Amino acid sequence: MNKFLLLITCYILFAASGIKAFAEEPQTSQKKSIVKAIKKHSKGNTKQDINYYYQLKKQYPHKYNFTDEQALNNLGYLYLSQGKITDALDIFRLNTKEFPHSANAFDSLAEALLKNKDKKAALQNYQISLKINTENSHAAYEIDKLKYPTIDKSKFTKIYSKQQYLEDIDELAYRLTTVNPNVYKFISKQKFWQLIKEKKKLIQVTISPINYAQFIWEISEIFASVSSGHTGLGYFNQQNEILPIKLRFPVETRLIDNKLYIIDGLINKNKVTSGSEITEINGKNVSKIMADIFKHLKSPGFIVSSKIDMFNGYNTALIAYSLGFPQTFEIKTKDNDNVIVLSPLKHYQSRPLIPAYQQCQKNLCLSTHKKIKTAIITIHSFNYYGSKFKTYKNFIDDSFKKIQNSDTVNLIIDLRLNNGGSSDTAILLLRYLAKKKFNYFARSQFNEKKGPFYPVKNRFTGKAYVLIDGNGASTTGHFVSLFKYLKLGTLIGEELGSNEFSTAGQNFFRSKNTEIFYTIGRYTYITATDSKNYTRGIMPDYFLTQSIEDYLNKIDTVLDYTLKLIKSNQH
């Protein structure tokens, strides 16, 4: 037979067989939901439900949709949300059997096992999930938490060999430069490797043995030099937890406008006064101490506000690390030039993340000021991934429904303290504010939606105000950048601790010898704005910093100013 005719014949036969198969095998959308069938048949016995599942699969393989992995997964999470952990485990196990190559199926099973306090089995399933999908950062994080459930505080004084320290620095440098695609964006290649060389030389020439605490402080400068919010040692938690109480700086301080103020004397209340400005600590000028500390704190680009807010959260530890853990602290204040010898701490409790003066003490709140027709939505976190997103969506949908059914004409969205989270949360919020369709990402690298996205039907049409601070990171920067670019309202507060650009989707690592935990961002995300300056945070329209007087008097400077601004605009 002619080769051309043979090819045509084969094509026709293949096509015909395909049409026949297509006629016999309905499209997925035409098939019935197997989960709905299970629910309808269920008598409350999951084992029987699973038997029924296999019975239907054998008898009616083309009638029901047996390829919908997510439907089974959702059923498992439904049981989990209802506290039916055993039922959830049965469904999640069914899902892993039906979809043995799904990382998500094993990840969900591991989560349920963890809720059932079966840590060994949870670890095994997270490891399977990570093996299937090496990009699954959630599984990697959970594996690390299961392997290292607590921080070993005894490691503070532990001494490793010089060779072990050098190996860990080399390993860190290699991972930073091979995993993070933007490692040289804010520091030159020459300066980065010069810093690595300096840290290694410090290890080699030091006569006195370097302990774990000193080493982790030194390498924190390497992370900070990369200027990436998702690359580093975390929020100083490791260093903070291993620090003995007696070595902490024994007064709480707050940095405001480059001045260090006492906000709580702690054990030294009889020696110092809240509101006093510290000028020297152990004979060293405060400005020099702060310059050293800032070299060790990460921030996106060259954003200072994020470093200030991190310092204010960990000040008792950071001052101790910077000064090399002195046994005694002596200070001078602006109103008292005499040296004050501080007593060491005996007990210490870190301050709450959300200040007491803020009305909302939860992650999500809605409140109203009826006299000025104003609603306040507080979102302290966008961290609502996976099944948790429903909680966030319900809150946002319900809040805007209440706003729509009221006479509200002003909306304040308080994003202070918000370290970011899921892009879906920001997109949903923008859809309630946007006047027209918009794109979210101009560039994204890992299953992130770019757009276009459209306003919801009942979008807010009044005046919108967003409150921001240096804590605002990651997705908060993405949201605020688009809020400003789309001209959706007014920004009030500090320079935001992030912007349009981020290197996120971090991988989790432990150093080979010292077992220090750290993360490295691996994907580039840029929101769809016209800004190309990624060195600074998003700037507010009205720049406000809380004074020391307002802080001590528990006055919410930024919110109070916004409410006054709204009142003045109404007259």
Side-chain angles (χ1 to χ4, degrees):
M1 184 182 289
N2 182 288
K3 286 185 178 180
F4 177 75
L5 290 175
L6 178 62
L7 286 171
I8 292 294
T9 304
C10 290
Y11 175 79
I12 292 171
L13 287 171
F14 176 79
S17 65
I19 292 170
K20 185 177 180 182
F22 187 83
E24 291 178 351
E25 186 80 11
Q27 292 186 40
T28 299
S29 60
Q30 295 175 334
K31 292 182 180 181
K32 292 185 178 182
S33 167
I34 184 60
V35 168
K36 286 183 179 179
I38 291 173
K39 285 182 177 179
K40 187 176 181 180
H41 176 270
S42 179
K43 299 292 190 296
N45 187 316
T46 314
K47 295 285 193 298
Q48 291 179 1
D49 293 344
I50 292 173
N51 289 335
Y52 183 63
Y53 171 93
Y54 283 120
Q55 181 184 332
L56 292 178
K57 188 174 184 180
K58 184 177 180 180
Q59 293 179 349
Y60 308 104
H62 308 307
K63 184 177 180 179
Y64 295 95
N65 183 6
F66 293 98
T67 62
D68 192 351
E69 169 200 340
Q70 193 58 47
L72 283 175
N73 212 51
N74 289 343
L75 179 60
Y77 275 113
L78 175 64
Y79 287 140
L80 206 59
S81 67
Q82 294 172 343
K84 301 176 181 178
I85 297 180
T86 302
D87 292 339
L89 285 169
D90 288 340
I91 296 300
F92 286 136
R93 286 193 179 101
L94 169 65
N95 214 20
T96 59
K97 289 177 182 177
E98 292 295 283
F99 303 95
H101 302 296
S102 167
N104 189 52
F106 284 96
D107 189 286
S108 299
L109 174 57
E111 184 179 338
L113 287 164
L114 204 54
K115 281 189 177 291
N116 202 39
K117 299 181 180 179
D118 190 345
K119 294 181 179 180
K120 183 178 179 180
L123 176 60
Q124 291 171 344
N125 281 276
Y126 275 129
Q127 288 172 330
I128 294 171
S129 177
L130 188 61
K131 186 176 181 180
I132 296 170
N133 177 16
T134 57
E135 305 292 315
N136 187 354
S137 58
H138 174 258
Y141 179 65
E142 293 297 336
I143 288 168
D144 188 85
K145 282 204 303 182
L146 286 165
K147 285 185 174 181
Y148 302 90
T150 58
I151 294 176
D152 183 2
K153 295 183 179 181
S154 68
K155 291 181 73 172
F156 180 85
T157 55
K158 186 172 181 178
I159 295 172
Y160 294 82
S161 70
K162 289 186 177 183
Q163 185 60 33
Q164 286 176 310
Y165 288 134
L166 293 173
E167 286 175 359
D168 281 1
I169 291 176
D170 284 337
E171 178 188 63
L172 168 59
Y174 172 77
R175 285 174 173 168
L176 279 171
T177 53
T178 56
V179 176
N180 189 318
N182 302 301
V183 68
Y184 302 126
K185 188 171 185 66
F186 301 105
I187 184 174
S188 69
K189 185 175 182 179
Q190 180 183 356
K191 286 185 177 180
F192 175 82
W193 286 104
Q194 180 61 34
L195 180 60
I196 296 295
K197 185 178 179 180
E198 289 172 3
K199 294 302 178 186
K200 291 177 71 174
K201 185 177 180 180
L202 178 68
I203 300 294
Q204 291 167 331
V205 303
T206 301
I207 298 174
S208 301
I210 293 177
N211 64 28
Y212 175 90
Q214 292 167 321
F215 179 69
I216 198 171
W217 178 247
E218 292 301 331
I219 66 168
S220 66
E221 186 178 351
I222 298 174
F223 284 108
S225 73
V226 177
S227 301
S228 172
H230 295 82
T231 296
L233 296 161
Y235 289 97
F236 209 73
N237 292 330
Q238 295 175 91
Q239 302 96 308
N240 185 54
E241 287 197 32
I242 64 172
L243 181 63
I245 290 175
K246 65 180 181 180
L247 294 182
R248 287 182 178 275
F249 185 61
V251 298
E252 286 275 10
T253 61
R254 189 170 183 84
L255 189 67
I256 301 173
D257 293 332
N258 297 318
K259 296 178 181 179
L260 189 64
Y261 294 99
I262 296 170
I263 59 171
D264 189 340
L266 301 175
I267 198 171
N268 292 286
K269 278 185 169 65
N270 62 330
K271 296 182 178 182
V272 299
T273 305
S274 292
S276 294
E277 180 190 345
I278 299 175
T279 55
E280 287 184 13
I281 304 175
N282 287 13
K284 194 171 183 179
N285 188 279
V286 162
S287 61
K288 291 184 178 180
I289 295 172
M290 293 312 306
D292 177 63
I293 288 173
F294 277 21
K295 285 196 305 181
H296 295 260
L297 296 182
K298 66 174 184 175
S299 75
F302 308 128
I303 302 172
V304 177
S305 60
S306 63
K307 296 191 178 193
I308 292 173
D309 283 348
M310 187 176 289
F311 170 80
N312 287 338
Y314 294 99
N315 60 92
T316 63
L318 282 164
I319 292 172
Y321 272 88
S322 177
L323 294 177
F325 318 111
Q327 295 295 316
T328 304
F329 288 99
E330 300 175 349
I331 66 170
K332 285 186 179 181
T333 62
K334 192 173 182 180
D335 53 8
N336 183 359
D337 201 41
N338 295 321
V339 173
I340 303 171
V341 181
L342 300 175
S343 302
L345 292 174
K346 295 179 181 178
H347 308 283
Y348 179 73
Q349 179 66 47
S350 58
R351 304 180 78 80
L353 176 64
I354 303 174
Y357 60 76
Q358 287 199 10
Q359 294 177 353
C360 177
Q361 292 293 306
K362 300 183 296 182
N363 275 347
L364 303 170
C365 296
L366 172 67
S367 60
T368 57
H369 286 252
K370 292 183 179 180
K371 287 185 178 180
I372 55 174
K373 299 180 180 180
T374 299
I376 303 174
I377 292 178
T378 302
I379 305 173
H380 284 315
S381 175
F382 282 133
N383 190 20
Y384 291 89
Y385 290 92
S387 60
K388 293 180 181 178
F389 177 73
K390 187 176 180 180
T391 300
Y392 173 85
K393 186 177 186 304
N394 288 342
F395 167 77
I396 293 295
D397 290 343
D398 290 345
S399 295
F400 278 98
K401 186 176 181 180
K402 290 176 182 177
I403 290 170
Q404 187 183 37
N405 293 333
S406 68
D407 60 352
T408 299
V409 295
N410 301 294
L411 174 61
I412 298 171
I413 300 174
D414 190 348
L415 296 183
R416 292 173 296 173
L417 303 176
N418 192 323
N419 290 138
S422 164
S423 59
D424 289 336
T425 58
I427 291 167
L428 177 63
L429 187 56
L430 283 167
R431 290 182 63 209
Y432 272 102
L433 302 172
K435 302 168 186 175
K436 57 184 179 180
K437 71 176 182 179
F438 63 92
N439 287 323
Y440 188 78
F441 282 122
R443 181 179 175 185
S444 64
Q445 291 181 261
F446 186 65
N447 296 334
E448 296 285 355
K449 302 169 187 173
K450 291 183 178 180
F453 298 98
Y454 296 85
V456 297
K457 291 181 180 179
N458 61 328
R459 72 176 184 86
F460 179 71
T461 57
K463 292 183 177 180
Y465 304 81
V466 172
L467 313 187
I468 58 175
D469 66 4
N471 288 294
S474 189
T475 293
T476 307
H478 297 159
F479 171 85
V480 174
S481 69
L482 285 163
F483 180 87
K484 187 168 188 174
Y485 173 69
L486 297 170
K487 299 179 180 179
L488 302 180
T490 304
L491 297 174
I492 302 175
E494 302 172 347
E495 175 184 5
L496 190 70
S498 53
N499 53 38
E500 301 86 350
F501 178 93
S502 66
T503 308
Q506 61 262 51
N507 255 347
F508 302 89
F509 298 98
R510 288 269 175 183
S511 52
K512 175 185 174 182
N513 298 308
T514 55
E515 296 185 328
I516 292 171
F517 173 81
Y518 57 91
T519 64
I520 300 178
R522 51 191 166 154
Y523 302 126
T524 302
Y525 296 97
I526 306 173
T527 51
T529 72
D530 57 0
S531 174
K532 302 298 178 186
N533 180 16
Y534 306 139
T535 60
R536 297 298 301 271
I538 307 298
M539 294 297 179
D541 299 300
Y542 295 91
F543 191 94
L544 291 174
T545 299
Q546 187 183 40
S547 68
I548 184 61
E549 291 80 15
D550 280 359
Y551 181 86
L552 294 175
N553 290 317
K554 299 180 180 179
I555 295 172
D556 192 337
T557 309
V558 176
L559 179 59
D560 283 7
Y561 178 88
T562 307
L563 292 172
K564 289 176 183 176
L565 181 64
I566 289 171
K567 289 177 183 177
S568 67
N569 289 338
Q570 291 180 341
H571 295 296

